[in-house]
Amino acid sequence: MMEYDAEPIRGLPGRLPRGEHIIWQGAPDWLAFARGVFHVRILAGYFALLALAGLASGSIVGAIVTLAVGAIGIGLFAVLAWASARTTVYTLTNRRMVLRVGVAIPKCFNLPLALIGAADLRAVGRGHGDIALTMLGEPRFGYLLLWPHARPWRYRSPQPMLRAVPEPDAVAAKLMRACAALVAIQPAIASEPVRLGAAMPIGAAA
């Protein structure tokens, strides 16, 4: 029995309450995940340069060993990227964004739409992209707890990030509309939530 077999709804820790429904579900593309999170192309280039340097110095054995070590390392990162993508489900409802993640230790992050202040989109090529979510208020998550579903280099104020999702423009638009709709049906909630409908800039994420 897999650790996610007991889920009442795929990607969710429990059944949705009355009035809540799923708008979108998706998962990372493992190849784009490997390129964007584990930088396998950069690693491949690095080991290729080391092997060429070995050949230039006349060390054929050294070049072969370097390529072998590089292939093993890249293979391990590729397997980790595949496992991460396979166990990840991003779910957008009309009330929240849910990140079900974790290979060895399953975790589920519930992000209320009312607390999402901005969504920043970064294209990662071949029709995929990362969407970083800026949460209102004090940081609620540790960077290591979120990683690799965290915006890079934001250690003091960790930001949840949807990684390598297909059709990221469409996903970001659905998220923006869901936040705007939530504000429209809650006119009595003033101040911060009222700003959410207009405060969904789709820009370039670092």
Side-chain angles (χ1 to χ4, degrees):
M1 180 177 179
M2 299 293 291
E3 61 269 27
Y4 299 118
D5 287 347
E7 289 179 332
I9 301 175
R10 177 177 176 267
L12 296 175
R15 296 195 178 278
L16 295 176
R18 184 183 299 273
E20 185 174 7
H21 62 270
I22 294 175
I23 296 174
W24 169 84
Q25 271 194 331
D29 175 82
W30 79 269
L31 284 174
F33 198 87
R35 292 192 301 266
V37 177
F38 299 109
H39 307 290
V40 292
R41 288 186 297 188
I42 296 176
L43 286 175
Y46 173 74
F47 281 105
L49 287 176
L50 288 181
L52 289 175
L55 288 175
S57 64
S59 177
I60 298 178
V61 174
I64 294 174
V65 170
T66 298
L67 288 176
V69 171
I72 293 172
I74 292 171
L76 290 175
F77 281 127
V79 170
L80 183 56
W82 174 83
S84 297
R86 182 176 178 271
T87 55
T88 295
V89 178
Y90 302 130
T91 303
L92 172 64
T93 77
N94 59 324
R95 293 290 184 268
R96 53 184 164 156
M97 174 69 75
V98 182
L99 281 62
R100 188 259 267 165
V101 300
V103 178
I105 304 176
K107 299 182 290 289
C108 195
F109 298 97
N110 285 283
L111 312 177
L113 298 186
L115 296 181
I116 297 178
D120 296 317
L121 171 63
R122 180 188 68 174
V124 295
R126 301 185 182 181
H128 299 89
D130 297 335
I131 302 175
L133 306 178
T134 300
M135 307 303 296
L136 299 176
E138 294 296 323
R140 292 169 172 79
F141 315 103
Y143 187 88
L144 292 179
L145 187 65
L146 279 171
W147 191 89
H149 308 273
R151 189 172 185 172
W153 315 115
R154 303 299 175 97
Y155 302 120
R156 295 187 61 183
S157 298
Q159 294 179 269
M161 179 178 257
L162 282 62
R163 306 299 300 256
V165 294
E167 301 180 349
D169 293 323
V171 176
K174 290 178 181 179
L175 175 60
M176 183 169 58
R177 288 195 296 268
C179 288
L182 181 65
V183 171
I185 64 176
Q186 293 180 339
I189 302 178
S191 66
E192 291 185 343
V194 174
R195 294 189 288 112
L196 291 180
M200 291 295 297
I202 306 301

